[in-house]
Amino acid sequence: MTVHGGRGRQDGGRTRPEGSAEPLSGAYDTALLDLDGVVYAGGLAVPYAVESLGAARDGGMRLAYVTNNALRTPEAVAEHLTELGVPAEAWDVVTSAQAVARLIADEVPAGSRVLLVGGEGLAVALRERGLVPVESADDDPVAVVQGYGGPELPWKRFAEAAYAVGRGVPWYASNTDLTIPGARGIGPGNGAAVEVVRIATGGRFAPKVAGKPLPPMHRETVLRTGAERPLVVGDRLDTDIEGAFNGGVDSLLVLTGVTDVPQLLAAAPQHRPTYVAADLRGLLTGQPEVVADGDGGFVCGAWRASVGGGALAVEQVAAGDADPMDGVRALCGAAWTAAEAGAGALDGEKALARLGL
């Protein structure tokens, strides 16, 4: 297993996860939670999600659900969460459909026709902004918008989008996540659908994108939640964590979705989370500090991580219960610091095996 780390920033990129003496649910007033891969996967609750979110809410933390998935309406998402045991109202949910609808409405006249390639969530969001969804390139749309429409979305809808985009109609996308986690594994996301239209039009066009990690989604989230001390919680480095980085807020990566430990260790500066946890139980605890030991190593809890001979190494340096996640945090310190110094690929196979990962 190789960790492919490119040359890191030399202007102060994060070189280790941060520590927190108090539970994260007390240190931040609002959790901005991604849904797919964080709260549920394939419609089923992720292990420990329901009880962890309940405890965080009971402790006074506001929970807001921020998703790049544009398929369902906020009402439908809230209903699903409530059925899973996570009580929520529509106003607790912020979707990329809402963000892209606002983006389009800011740039076209009210009442404009918009060619919709997506599901009900995107259609409702467009109507809320005074726009009229249509399904054909021959309906004289002033814009084309794509959002995740689920596996049943007819192929002809992509053809209609390609016809309109090819004619020069402005093109928008709720998000460009290439994949989406489900109960049976990782499937193609809206980004894959966007690529279909891009390829069909000869690669000559690119959509304006609203979803994470881009500013329109952060803007929509701030406007709707009013969070003052937000913590972004997600499973994807290139959307959730980068979105937090772009918005200048702290983030918690949970390892219940798309991102695995090798990807975390190889993260570029804009993809490095403030905190790391195995799952949403990480909201309810503090985070142990990762400390440089002066000999080129990094210590977290009972583990010490270092780099030598092009490989990552980890060893237990304290007796008793040794949490593997502390080892992961220590390895982040070693790997990210090495990347900042210009290191290339690091072999992490033995280190992760040592942690049982």
Side-chain angles (χ1 to χ4, degrees):
M1 184 181 303
T2 299
V3 177
H4 296 284
R7 182 175 295 274
R9 286 192 323 190
Q10 302 301 311
D11 61 348
R14 183 186 304 283
T15 58
R16 70 193 80 171
E18 293 186 11
S20 176
E22 62 178 316
L24 299 183
S25 57
Y28 298 89
D29 68 346
T30 306
L32 305 181
L33 295 131
D34 184 48
L35 288 172
D36 292 304
V38 176
V39 180
Y40 53 64
L44 302 177
V46 167
Y48 308 109
V50 173
E51 51 267 50
S52 297
L53 292 174
R57 183 182 59 250
D58 291 345
M61 188 179 216
R62 181 183 175 186
L63 306 179
Y65 303 96
V66 184
T67 177
N68 263 1
N69 191 330
L71 178 60
R72 295 186 292 174
T73 65
E75 289 80 6
V77 173
E79 181 179 353
H80 180 208
L81 287 169
T82 301
E83 290 173 351
L84 292 177
V86 182
E89 301 290 343
W91 55 78
D92 296 322
V93 180
V94 183
T95 74
S96 63
Q98 294 170 321
V100 76
R102 187 188 295 270
L103 179 61
I104 297 170
D106 286 346
E107 298 181 356
V108 304
S112 294
R113 297 180 178 186
V114 177
L115 176 55
L116 166 65
V117 183
E120 182 64 14
L122 187 50
V124 169
L126 291 173
R127 294 188 188 105
E128 287 178 346
R129 291 291 162 196
L131 302 170
V132 180
V134 297
E135 295 187 1
S136 172
D138 296 332
D139 288 331
D140 298 321
V142 301
V144 176
V145 63
Q146 281 187 262
Y148 183 67
E152 307 303 324
L153 191 67
W155 190 256
K156 66 180 180 180
R157 301 285 287 278
F158 300 118
E160 293 296 331
Y163 301 150
V165 171
R167 296 171 187 171
V169 177
W171 183 21
Y172 299 81
S174 64
N175 67 294
T176 52
D177 296 8
L178 290 173
T179 60
I180 186 169
R184 297 174 59 198
I186 304 298
N190 192 55
V194 167
E195 283 298 295
V196 169
V197 175
R198 186 188 67 81
I199 293 168
T201 54
R204 295 175 294 138
F205 306 96
K208 291 185 178 181
V209 183
K212 296 177 287 186
L214 297 173
M217 190 68 178
H218 182 72
R219 173 193 175 202
E220 191 72 20
T221 301
V222 170
L223 287 172
R224 289 179 179 268
T225 66
E228 296 182 357
R229 290 181 292 113
L231 177 69
V232 169
V233 184
D235 70 310
R236 301 183 70 111
L237 300 179
D238 59 349
T239 56
D240 305 313
I241 306 308
E242 185 175 343
F245 177 89
N246 291 339
V249 299
D250 289 346
S251 60
L252 168 66
L253 177 77
V254 292
L255 299 173
T256 50
V258 170
T259 301
D260 60 21
V261 175
Q263 291 168 331
L264 170 63
L265 298 180
Q270 70 272 23
H271 293 165
R272 296 172 187 166
T274 313
Y275 310 106
V276 181
D279 51 59
L280 284 175
R281 288 176 294 179
L283 280 175
L284 308 178
T285 65
Q287 290 268 319
E289 188 176 5
V290 179
V291 180
D293 65 6
D295 293 322
F298 293 83
V299 176
C300 184
W303 297 98
R304 179 183 185 272
S306 60
V307 174
L312 289 162
V314 66
E315 59 182 325
Q316 188 172 341
V317 294
D321 185 28
D323 184 353
M325 284 306 305
D326 290 343
V328 170
R329 296 178 183 108
L331 284 169
C332 286
W336 297 351
T337 298
E340 289 289 295
L346 299 173
D347 185 351
E349 184 171 2
K350 290 183 178 178
L352 296 185
R354 179 74 177 83
L355 296 174
L357 301 173

